[in-house]
Amino acid sequence: MGKKSIHRKVLILVIVFFGEILISLSDKAITMNTEKASSELAVSRKLDNQVSSYQSVRKAEGEINSFMEKWDITGASVAVMKENRLIYAKGFGSASRSSFEQVEPKHLFRVASVSKLITSVAVMKLVEEGKLSLETKVFGSDGILDNPKFLDIKDERVQNITIYHLLTHSAGWSKASGDPVFMPYTIKEQMNVDLPVDLETTIQYTLKHKTLDFDPGSQSSYSNFGYSVLGKVIEKITGLGYENYVITRILNPLNIYDMHLGTTSQQIKFPNEVNYYTNSPFKKVYSALRENKIVLRQYGGNNFEVLGPAGAWVASPAELLKFLAHIDGNPQKSDILDQQTIKKMVHSESGLHPIGWLRASEQGDWVRTGTLTGTAALLKKDSNGFSWVMLLNTSNKMRHDFTDNMDSVMTDFVNRVDHWPEYDLFNYSAPSPLFAY
């Protein structure tokens, strides 16, 4: 073979090699730019605190400021909706204690168990589409999750667990015997694996080593693990990753573009996500990700990859209210679920928990709360026609009981405003700087 032929082949290989690199980089750039462009479309990104700084709310905002001072809250974000119109969205305090960055409507917060409402809507959508049934069995050779890894089952009653049982916290697992999503060291030892423990291993451990505390469907006992399992069900049915399915098939069609699964680490978070703090005396724990490493409880105490569908979403109040506007049965905005499905979700059957919601009254008061170290979240649809969200980046030792205090201050805040605007901030467009005056 001549030298010219060799040189030509080498040149072609070099061109192909670098061409593939360029194409790869180009694809990544396109993906990144698309993601950025999508998040910029979020209603929360178009708003700032000035938009909701009108005269009629200023005195009422004293309720929120006093609440934050009383409980030493670093930062909070609040949004209010009336008849499916976003009428208020504002941040209070700091997104970070070190930078003193002001909280704005664009900031993302961990929403903890409010994530269960998102997961339940995704499941119920699949039920409506006929891809799933509430009576479908989950485990065993006849279940959806018939993966050989999940067939080593200690308690035969597990094979009676249905989708409905997982949605209503009635599958049979009790908090009294420990929630597997918060037991990484036990699972590590029993399953002879290294940290971090993933969700598949957590499911394997639970099926192989734990017995049910009650017969499926006989009562409810709050279970994060059950909702984490629902994430695996969604993946099996759709062939998509849990987060991918929820974002592309549930959130984006509702023009919700800046809600995501959060991360455990402080170093890997979204640019517009707040930092998290706790006023509890129990601030440090052993890491759920690395053995024998002591970490701040809010940054490593829980494995968000395992918690995922049960408690790992981050969001802004404005986009959470947009989500609520499409699942609340009100006629002003079209719902993503049928009326019958929405009623099914808020109907408490035989003393069981409602689907996705924490509480739902016949009068129309629907509540979903969430707490983790470093955050507290409240989403409420009130029977008076108002709905609201309050998210905090600071937790305290009261944990779940603290959300009742949040509900009280938000009720007082809404009731103290004697005049709310008629516009809808969901349709707000920020003025162009070129024409600002």
Side-chain angles (χ1 to χ4, degrees), residues 165-232:
H165 294 148
L166 294 179
L167 287 167
T168 56
H169 300 276
S170 62
W173 295 291
S174 168
K175 290 189 296 184
S177 60
D179 195 317
V181 301
F182 300 129
M183 300 169 59
Y185 281 86
T186 299
I187 296 171
K188 170 189 175 298
E189 294 299 325
Q190 291 286 336
M191 300 300 291
N192 192 28
V193 295
D194 295 326
L195 295 180
V197 175
D198 61 20
L199 180 53
E200 280 199 357
T201 305
T202 302
I203 296 173
Q204 278 185 280
Y205 158 80
T206 304
L207 299 179
K208 183 177 181 178
H209 292 282
K210 289 176 71 70
T211 57
L212 297 181
D213 299 296
F214 53 87
D215 291 336
S218 63
Q219 66 182 75
S220 281
S221 181
Y222 199 82
S223 173
N224 289 288
F225 174 71
Y227 266 79
S228 290
V229 171
L230 283 170
K232 282 295 181 187

Side-chain angles (χ1 to χ4, degrees), residues 86-97:
L86 182 64
I87 54 177
Y88 183 86
K90 197 169 186 179
F92 296 82
S94 300
S96 168
R97 288 179 180 175

Side-chain angles (χ1 to χ4, degrees), residues 16 27 55 58 84 98 111 138 162 188 261 287 303 310 320 349 368 379 427:
V16 169
D27 287 344
Q55 185 65 37
R58 289 178 184 169
N84 283 176
S98 59
V111 301
V138 179
T162 65
K188 170 189 175 298
L261 282 184
S287 171
N303 184 347
L320 276 179
E349 185 176 327
R368 180 67 261 182
L379 182 154
N427 300 324

Side-chain angles (χ1 to χ4, degrees), residues 9 30 36 96 109 120 130 151 171 177 180 183 225 255 263 281 294 302 307 321 343 373 382 416 424:
K9 286 195 172 186
I30 289 171
K36 182 178 180 182
S96 168
F109 289 68
S120 66
L151 294 180
S177 60
M183 300 169 59
F225 174 71
N255 296 321
T263 61
I294 303 295
N302 299 311
L307 193 59
L321 284 181
K343 290 179 181 178
T373 302
D382 198 281
R416 284 198 62 182
D424 184 0

Side-chain angles (χ1 to χ4, degrees), residues 29 34 83 130 153 195 203 214 231 234 278 292 303 336 346 372 380 387 416 425:
T34 301
E83 297 169 348
I153 298 173
L195 295 180
I203 296 173
F214 53 87
I234 290 171
T278 179
N292 297 325
N303 184 347
I336 194 171
V346 297
L372 280 172
K380 182 175 185 181
S387 299
R416 284 198 62 182
L425 291 176

